[in-house]
Amino acid sequence: MSTATTTNAVELEGKDLPAHCPNPAIPLWSSHPRVFLDFHHGEAKCPYCGTAYRLKPGTVVGHH
């Protein structure tokens, strides 16, 4: 991911997982079908709207 995208990413903690988009901060008028995010190297991007998500440093992802 580029530095600009990473800087503007929504940061999540372990308590926010499993993560999905749209997140509660997105207005209803601009929402899309809910998709659960698959993090690779601590980052994920929504395939619908392109919102970038990043795990906060030190966040441990548990396996379900």
Side-chain angles (χ1 to χ4, degrees):
M1 235 178 225
S2 71
T3 304
T5 303
T6 302
T7 303
N8 296 324
V10 176
E11 283 198 325
L12 303 174
E13 297 178 357
K15 66 180 175 73
D16 300 318
L17 301 175
H20 59 82
C21 191
N23 64 56
I26 294 177
L28 185 59
W29 64 266
S30 67
S31 66
H32 52 69
R34 180 181 286 190
V35 291
F36 286 89
L37 303 168
D38 189 20
F39 286 85
H40 297 281
H41 307 288
E43 297 180 348
K45 190 171 185 178
C46 176
Y48 283 100
C49 66
T51 300
Y53 294 86
R54 177 179 60 219
L55 298 176
K56 287 186 178 182
T59 300
V60 177
V61 179
H63 298 283
H64 299 283

